[in-house]
Amino acid sequence: MDRGLSRVLFVDLSAHRAHVEERPELFRARLGGTGVAIELLHELCPEGADPLSPENPVILAVGPLSALFPLASKTVALFKSPHTGNLGESHCGGRSAVALRLAGYGAVVITGRSDIPVYIVIEGGKVHFRDARALWGLSSSFTVGRIIWERESGSGFRSILRIGVAGENLVTYANVVAESYRHFGRLGLGAVFGAKRLKAVVIIGKGRVPVADGPRYSRLYRELHGRAVRSELFKKYHDLGTPQNVRPLNAIGALPVRNLRENRYPDEPPFTGERMAERYLGRRLACAGCPVACIHLAALREPYPDEPFFYKTTFVSYDYEPIYSLGTMLGGQDPEGFLKLMEAVEHLGLDAMSCGVVLAWATEATERGLISGADTGGLVPRWGDYGVYIQMARRTSRWPGGSPRGRGSSTTSSPGASPRPRRATAARSSPWRSGGTRWPATTPAPGPTSPTSWGHATPTSTRPATPWTKRTCGRGGSGPRGSSPGPSSPRRPGARSSPRSSSASSPGDSTTSGPPPGASPS
């Protein structure tokens, strides 16, 4: 086992500090990244912890095959889910797994809660804490990714994991977006990031993964690669992708339609893999180290309303899962409407599958008279009405009018206060099953702008930091591209300043460093 895989990076957002621990026994005794991450979660997550509290750790982990063999391109995230109160496990492709290994780590553990919005950069044995107040509240997760990509320029294999406004507002099925078209989708990792005031995680790998026998490794790699690209599954996932499932599922009566009230379309479904490829497929992408290229991007071409013969072309990722949740479950007949809803969900940082199921439930509940326009802000969902569905997704992500109305609450919190999590998945109201602190709807949760603050929390890990862990530079510098915090800055009018956010016009960064991979603590 190479030493880099056994290194676990611990990041404490409360103290803006980080340290590394050598844990080779974890990777020897546990199977892959999931086994390692579940053991770390068991060690570090206190019993009864609230999923949105600083004590809930986020563990990102990879396995020994990552960055070495084809198809091994996933990073696993383990956390306590704010959506269920139970175990949260989510997997994501893209570049994160390879970047993490090339950065010299097998796992990253993130604990605590920052006093201001930040994003962290893991690079070259250091962890940089960047001020993200200028990014907090931006309407598109794509814009956030582009700004960070431009600011964190330079060499290295990089991955940017970020949340949208849904995560900032603690929607319990908010996701984390990676490389625009891949996600930690299920069970609300985005809300956990938002509760920690963590806008993004940037991983930059500049190292290498050693192999003991280069010629033998090359032969084995070529053999596995050849088997993969010659298989029937490769052809399916590369050519049409998982949307190829739509037509046969419809034929056998196993396609979820109109909130599962029906199980097929009477005629050819409008979202089959064949139809989507013929009319909209514009590009295929692959995750790092994977030859399949199963990411299918539809080219959505929309005319500008006041410019004849000029069109905006948007690439929208589609798979079977969002097709059933945002397409067939909603009784959709319009592929372009589906793609527009999919694009909106991506920008907002919502999990597409959970969002579609919620919208389908709301549509049937409206039909049956269980809810009305008074419960949905005047919006009346009807099967296949994508204009209304897009508005509902936006309102779900943003607390319309500044008033959190989840769980039957209609009270208004103070500007800048941490809202209560929104759960639009049940008609009845039920208390949290996960324990932890509950804040009254009219009282902002403790933060840097309220008289009571979590401040510098004790790191979750009981192991002492290694001697070389230290602060290497003071605060200073500027936000992304020299921008200043916008109107969505978390400061409340009249609240006293926190030591870290005393100068809103000059947001700063901090850095915690450690030895490079392979070095010994001094």
Side-chain angles (χ1 to χ4, degrees):
M1 180 191 301
D2 64 279
R3 185 181 178 188
L5 182 64
S6 65
R7 301 172 79 241
V8 180
L9 174 66
F10 289 81
V11 179
D12 183 358
L13 294 172
S14 297
H16 285 202
R17 300 292 295 271
H19 72 277
V20 177
E21 295 180 10
E22 301 280 354
R23 299 294 302 273
E25 78 285 354
L26 278 179
F27 290 87
R28 290 195 187 101
R30 300 295 173 181
L31 182 61
T34 301
V36 170
I38 195 67
E39 181 61 29
L40 287 169
L41 186 70
H42 179 70
E43 290 179 9
L44 301 174
C45 187
E47 184 176 353
D50 190 307
L52 299 177
S53 71
E55 290 75 27
N56 183 20
V58 172
I59 294 104
L60 307 174
V62 295
L65 302 183
S66 299
L68 286 175
F69 291 103
L71 308 176
S73 57
K74 295 283 182 112
T75 302
V76 63
L78 267 291
F79 52 97
K80 189 171 184 179
S81 168
H83 195 60
T84 64
N86 298 312
L87 174 67
E89 177 181 348
S90 189
H91 298 252
C92 180
R95 296 191 294 267
S96 59
V98 177
L100 189 58
R101 290 227 60 190
L102 296 183
Y105 305 106
V108 176
V109 177
I110 304 172
T111 59
R113 180 178 187 266
S114 178
D115 50 5
I116 61 171
V118 297
Y119 71 89
I120 62 174
V121 182
I122 301 169
E123 175 186 20
K126 296 181 180 180
V127 176
H128 308 276
F129 295 83
R130 310 287 202 212
D131 190 304
R133 283 175 289 182
L135 303 176
W136 203 260
L138 290 184
S139 60
S140 173
S141 65
F142 293 170
T143 304
V144 171
R146 180 59 183 265
I147 291 173
I148 294 175
W149 180 81
E150 290 183 355
R151 186 188 185 196
E152 304 299 332
S153 60
S155 63
F157 194 93
R158 67 189 59 219
S159 178
I160 302 174
L161 318 176
R162 68 270 191 181
I163 62 172
V165 292
E168 296 174 7
N169 290 319
L170 311 185
V171 178
T172 62
Y173 49 89
N175 67 13
V176 173
V177 181
E179 283 76 69
S180 299
Y181 302 115
R182 298 292 87 183
H183 316 83
F184 291 100
R186 217 67 58 249
L187 297 173
L189 180 60
V192 179
F193 269 46
K196 294 181 178 299
R197 288 187 175 169
L198 178 62
K199 185 63 179 177
V201 176
V202 183
I203 306 170
I204 303 176
K206 298 183 179 181
R208 64 185 183 89
V209 180
V211 293
D213 187 337
R216 185 181 178 189
Y217 164 71
S218 296
R219 290 193 299 270
L220 180 57
Y221 185 96
R222 286 193 296 267
E223 179 185 350
L224 294 175
H225 184 277
R227 288 185 181 183
V229 300
R230 289 190 298 268
S231 70
E232 286 299 317
L233 284 177
F234 174 88
K235 180 176 175 58
K236 169 185 175 178
Y237 287 110
H238 176 79
D239 291 356
L240 296 179
T242 53
Q244 183 173 328
N245 298 333
V246 174
R247 181 176 285 173
L249 288 174
N250 189 70
I252 65 174
L255 187 66
V257 179
R258 296 197 178 195
N259 201 33
L260 299 171
R261 295 198 311 182
E262 302 166 20
N263 58 11
R264 59 159 51 96
Y265 278 75
D267 302 312
E268 176 86 343
F271 310 108
T272 64
E274 293 79 3
R275 283 193 175 189
M276 295 298 293
E278 289 168 359
R279 301 180 184 183
Y280 300 101
L281 180 60
R283 190 178 178 189
R284 294 180 181 88
L285 298 177
C287 297
C290 180
V292 177
C294 70
I295 305 172
H296 292 70
L297 303 184
L300 178 61
R301 194 164 177 257
E302 302 174 84
Y304 286 100
D306 54 351
E307 292 284 347
F309 314 117
F310 284 87
Y311 294 84
K312 178 183 76 169
T313 300
T314 306
F315 284 99
V316 183
S317 175
Y318 67 93
D319 297 284
Y320 167 72
E321 290 85 354
I323 282 177
Y324 98 73
S325 61
L326 299 176
T328 65
M329 278 283 282
L330 301 179
Q333 297 285 349
D334 177 16
E336 291 194 6
F338 154 73
L339 292 173
K340 291 175 183 178
L341 175 59
M342 182 69 197
E343 182 196 12
V345 166
E346 295 272 45
H347 282 274
L348 297 168
L350 288 167
D351 172 40
M353 283 173 255
S354 301
C355 180
V357 170
V358 168
L359 293 175
W361 178 90
T363 305
E364 183 176 351
T366 301
E367 267 193 354
R368 296 189 175 199
L370 300 176
I371 62 175
S372 66
D375 301 300
T376 57
L379 298 175
V380 180
R382 295 183 177 87
W383 300 117
D385 189 344
Y386 282 107
V388 170
Y389 290 142
I390 290 171
Q391 293 184 63
M392 292 179 73
R394 288 172 177 164
R395 292 193 183 187
T396 298
S397 302
R398 283 192 171 274
W399 304 121
S403 174
R405 300 181 64 179
R407 305 189 120 108
S409 170
S410 59
T411 56
T412 303
S413 60
S414 302
S418 299
R420 295 195 303 169
R422 185 175 185 108
R423 292 180 58 131
T425 56
R428 62 183 184 276
S429 177
S430 61
W432 282 101
R433 292 173 293 166
S434 52
T437 306
R438 301 168 178 80
W439 307 112
T442 55
T443 304
T449 58
S450 58
T452 304
S453 175
W454 277 309
H456 296 274
T458 303
T460 306
S461 174
T462 58
R463 297 178 180 81
T466 48
W468 41 259
T469 303
K470 62 181 180 179
R471 199 73 140 197
T472 60
C473 70
R475 303 186 66 78
S478 62
R481 312 296 276 179
S483 55
S484 60
S488 59
S489 174
R491 180 168 299 173
R492 240 185 330 113
R496 48 182 202 177
S497 302
S498 104
R500 263 192 228 281
S501 57
S502 58
S503 178
S505 61
S506 301
D509 305 329
S510 59
T511 303
T512 299
S513 68
S520 300
S522 58

